[in-house]
Amino acid sequence: RLTGQHGCFALARGELHEARDALERSLRQEGEPGIDGVQVRAWLAQTLARLGDPEAQRVADEAWALARDSDEAPRIGAAAVARAELAWLRQDAAAAAVVGPALAVVDSTRHRWYCGDLRVALQRAGVPAPPVVVHRSCGIRASPSIIAWRRSSRPSRNECG
């Protein structure tokens, strides 16, 4: 797991070859870790895309397939960011819009990294993303999309109460 984090930090620093090597090594060391490999796959997809590697989309699709039904914000957020970034690089707003609903999941938690990264990737791809607002009553950050979702019949895990 630390090797995957090392790859994530290398990606954040723009050290793409180091990131690719660390992330690929992480997946090999962990022996295809399934759901635990979502973030590693998502970061690898972003790295490969930035390097111009055509395998990026396949890796992003793997991450999304694993994350999509997990109901876990860090996994969904990482996979959504990767897919939205790849869509932006292809200038494909429709492909980015598919992961737009992931905002409701990441906004319902305190994973600020994914809240911001997903909004930036969506906006770059041409998909409007609502701004984040702060609830004065409890201090939990939420976007208009999560506020509407909370008012629906499905309760949120992080209600203010």
Side-chain angles (χ1 to χ4, degrees):
R1 294 177 194 219
L2 291 177
T3 305
Q5 290 297 318
H6 173 81
C8 173
F9 296 137
L11 171 63
R13 290 189 309 266
E15 298 167 355
L16 300 180
H17 295 286
E18 181 181 337
R20 181 194 58 211
D21 294 345
L23 295 165
E24 287 176 344
R25 188 170 54 251
S26 176
L27 287 174
R28 282 192 310 269
Q29 287 174 346
E30 305 259 341
E32 290 299 323
I35 194 71
D36 290 334
V38 171
Q39 285 107 324
V40 172
R41 283 178 173 83
W43 299 327
L44 179 58
Q46 288 176 274
T47 302
L48 294 174
R50 293 175 191 183
L51 289 169
D53 189 319
E55 284 295 301
Q57 189 63 54
R58 181 189 59 77
V59 176
D61 292 345
E62 286 176 6
W64 184 250
L66 290 168
R68 167 178 60 216
D69 298 323
S70 73
D71 198 30
E72 295 181 36
R75 292 175 175 145
I76 292 170
V81 168
R83 287 189 62 158
E85 182 174 324
L86 269 66
W88 164 56
L89 292 172
R90 290 190 321 268
Q91 299 185 340
D92 185 352
V98 170
V99 298
L103 275 174
V105 176
V106 295
D107 282 348
S108 70
T109 68
R110 292 188 172 128
H111 292 281
R112 291 184 177 108
W113 181 339
Y114 297 118
C115 291
D117 280 0
L118 185 52
R119 276 182 172 72
V120 168
L122 288 170
Q123 290 171 354
R124 285 178 174 166
V127 177
V132 175
V133 296
V134 176
H135 287 284
R136 290 184 183 165
S137 62
C138 64
I140 293 177
R141 296 163 35 105
S143 72
S145 61
I146 194 61
I147 293 168
W149 185 71
R150 284 183 176 160
R151 290 180 183 148
S152 72
S153 61
R154 184 175 177 189
S156 171
R157 289 183 178 180
N158 293 318
E159 288 292 334
C160 299

